[in-house]
Structures are given as C-alpha cells and as structure tokens.
C-alpha cells in the first residue's frame, strides 16, 4: 500500500463550489505539505504543517485553507473554487527527526479542474 | 530570495546516449540540494540529495549529480539513458534550519527517442 495517499485522484468542479482534497499518510511523519503544480512553474507551496497544532502559510495560500485532523491526515479546501485553481495538487510528508536532509515523500497527486 | 533555475524546459536524447540536466540555485548558505523525478501520473520520487561532503553524489536508477559551489550548480547526469527514464525532473533546494521548506525549479521534461 502507498505510504501517502490522496483522494480524489481527479475532480472536475464548477466555479464557486467548495472542494476538499484529502491526504493520508502511514509514514508516521509529523510534517505535511500541500503543493500545486502548474506547467512551467514547478511546485509551489500552499500550506505546511509541522504537527497537528502548527499550520503555516506557504507562498500561495490565498484562496485555500487547510485542516490537520490528526498526525496522519491533512486536508486542503478551496472555499469557492475559481478556474485559475485548475492544477495538479500534491501532498507530501517529511520527518526531519530521521533525515536532516528533509527528504519529502509525495502522494500521487490530485488533478483538479475548475470550469 | 532563494531560487532554483532549470534552464531547459525539455530535452530529447537518444536511448543509450548520455544525459546532463542543468540546475542553478541561489542560496546564501550551504544548500541542501535535491533532484526529484516525476513519472507520468505519479508523484515525485527522490533521486539523490546533497548536503555536505563529497561533491559527486550517487543516486538511484544510475543517476549522479555534482555540486559546484563556484558555479552555484547541481547538474544531474546519467551515462546511458533508458527509455524508462522519460519523465520530468525537478531540482530543488531546501531552506531554513534543517531544510524545512523546499524550493523547486520549474522542471525539465526528458524525452527519450529510440
């Protein structure tokens, strides 16, 4: 079984709808991240969480919110989706306790299309 | 501000040929440097990483990268490319104490022709 899972894998929605993307991990890592990937822009950090009570904005947090329900779960919400939020979204985890290099482990991604 | 530049948006090489993907970074301190690979429909997988020590690092799948501080570069190489290497490759730099945030380059898409 995959260590980092994301649901759904694909989603098409309409402008103005509320959308939640979910991420679960079995790696036991404290740190979790949400990125979006756009062609030619690489990955950009939306939010990150160092533990359940520590949530931080990334470089492009506007229009997004997150919830860290447990160590293993980190959800990303789009309160009112807009077309320029169409992108590939990745969840990732890391555990600096075991790796000073902060290697990140990625889920398979969620492809979101906002019409 | 920290940044990562991958000058080549896409590269095409013949199967069996050598490969070099370029990466330049901007970072004031000793960087944590990474190369990740993204196969179609997949998440990113770490190929290799550098923090200190030997400037030539070996990774998985036969890849290696060389850190050159004077050139602010961390280029990825492979002596003989296989068709299964076709993917998108991301260079990244970790910032902050312990590298808790990672800045990614825009990626280089590798095409392999028979």
């Amino acid at each position: 079984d995959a260590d980092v899972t994301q649901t759904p894998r694909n989603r098409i929605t309409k402008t103005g709808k509320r959308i939640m993307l979910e991420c679960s991990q079995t790696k036991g890592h404290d740190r979790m991240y949400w990125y979006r990937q756009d062609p030619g822009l690489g990955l950009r950090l939306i939010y990150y969480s160092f533990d359940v009570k520590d949530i931080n904005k990334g470089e492009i947090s506007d229009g997004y919110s997150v919830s860290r329900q447990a160590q293993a779960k980190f959800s990303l919400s789009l309160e009112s989706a807009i077309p320029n939020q169409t992108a590939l979204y990745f969840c990732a985890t890391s555990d600096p306790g075991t790796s000073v290099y902060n290697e990140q482990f990625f889920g398979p991604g969620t492809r979101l299309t906002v019409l | 501000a920290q940044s990562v530049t991958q000058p080549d948006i896409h590269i095409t090489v013949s199967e069996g040929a050598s490969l070099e993907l370029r990466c330049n970074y901007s970072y004031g301190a000793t960087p944590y440097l990474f190369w990740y690979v993204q196969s179609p429909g997949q998440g990113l997988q770490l190929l290799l990483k550098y923090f200190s020590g030997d400037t030539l690092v070996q990774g998985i799948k036969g890849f290696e990268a060389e850190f050159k501080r004077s050139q602010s570069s961390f280029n990825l190489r492979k002596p003989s490319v296989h068709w299964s290497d076709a993917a998108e490759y991301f260079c990244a730099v970790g910032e902050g104490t312990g590298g808790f945030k990672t800045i990614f380059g825009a990626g280089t898409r590798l095409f392999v022709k028979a």
Side-chain angles (χ1 to χ4, degrees):
Chain A
D1 288 339
D3 295 320
V4 184
T5 58
Q6 294 182 233
T7 56
R9 294 293 310 278
N10 289 282
R11 183 71 184 270
I12 300 174
T13 191
K14 295 182 178 180
T15 298
K17 294 292 187 181
R18 184 179 187 274
I19 296 297
M20 178 181 286
L21 309 182
E22 298 186 346
C23 176
S24 294
Q25 53 115 345
T26 58
K27 299 189 76 65
H29 289 170
D30 287 328
R31 295 181 174 177
M32 298 187 73
Y33 310 79
W34 275 106
Y35 293 91
R36 64 176 280 175
Q37 182 182 20
D38 298 278
L41 296 178
L43 277 73
R44 292 180 292 167
L45 184 63
I46 306 172
Y47 271 94
Y48 61 102
S49 169
F50 284 175
D51 63 40
V52 175
K53 297 182 180 180
D54 183 7
I55 293 178
N56 306 277
K57 292 182 178 181
E59 60 179 308
I60 55 164
S61 59
D62 288 349
Y64 301 94
S65 62
V66 291
S67 173
R68 185 81 184 267
Q69 302 95 322
Q71 185 204 39
K73 297 184 181 296
F74 193 35
S75 300
L76 176 71
S77 293
L78 288 68
E79 297 301 325
S80 180
I82 56 176
N84 75 2
Q85 291 178 313
T86 293
L88 187 56
Y89 290 84
F90 285 104
C91 175
T93 74
S94 71
D95 183 4
T98 57
S99 170
V100 70
Y101 298 97
N102 194 40
E103 173 185 352
Q104 296 190 17
F105 298 85
F106 286 81
T110 294
R111 184 167 296 282
L112 176 66
T113 302
V114 184
L115 301 176
Chain B
Q2 293 80 5
S3 65
V4 179
T5 302
Q6 294 180 247
D8 303 305
I9 297 173
H10 55 80
I11 283 181
T12 300
V13 300
S14 298
E15 190 170 17
S18 63
L19 171 70
E20 182 169 29
L21 301 183
R22 296 182 292 165
C23 173
N24 294 98
Y25 67 90
S26 171
Y27 190 67
T30 300
Y32 297 78
L33 294 163
F34 309 85
W35 274 99
Y36 286 86
V37 60
Q38 182 183 23
S39 298
Q42 303 295 317
L44 279 71
Q45 180 185 20
L46 182 70
L47 281 176
L48 48 77
K49 58 196 176 189
Y50 171 80
F51 171 53
S52 65
D54 193 343
T55 56
L56 183 64
V57 294
Q58 303 297 320
I60 62 171
K61 305 184 180 185
F63 286 92
E64 66 179 26
E66 185 171 12
F67 170 61
K68 293 185 177 180
R69 184 185 297 277
S70 62
Q71 299 177 18
S72 297
S73 68
F74 189 56
N75 293 348
L76 181 71
R77 301 195 293 249
K78 187 169 185 177
S80 178
V81 169
H82 187 264
W83 65 266
S84 62
D85 293 324
E88 189 152 22
Y89 292 81
F90 293 93
C91 182
V93 59
E95 66 167 2
T97 303
F100 64 85
K101 287 200 297 183
T102 305
I103 308 297
F104 288 85
T108 297
R109 182 166 295 279
L110 173 65
F111 298 94
V112 180
K113 60 182 181 181

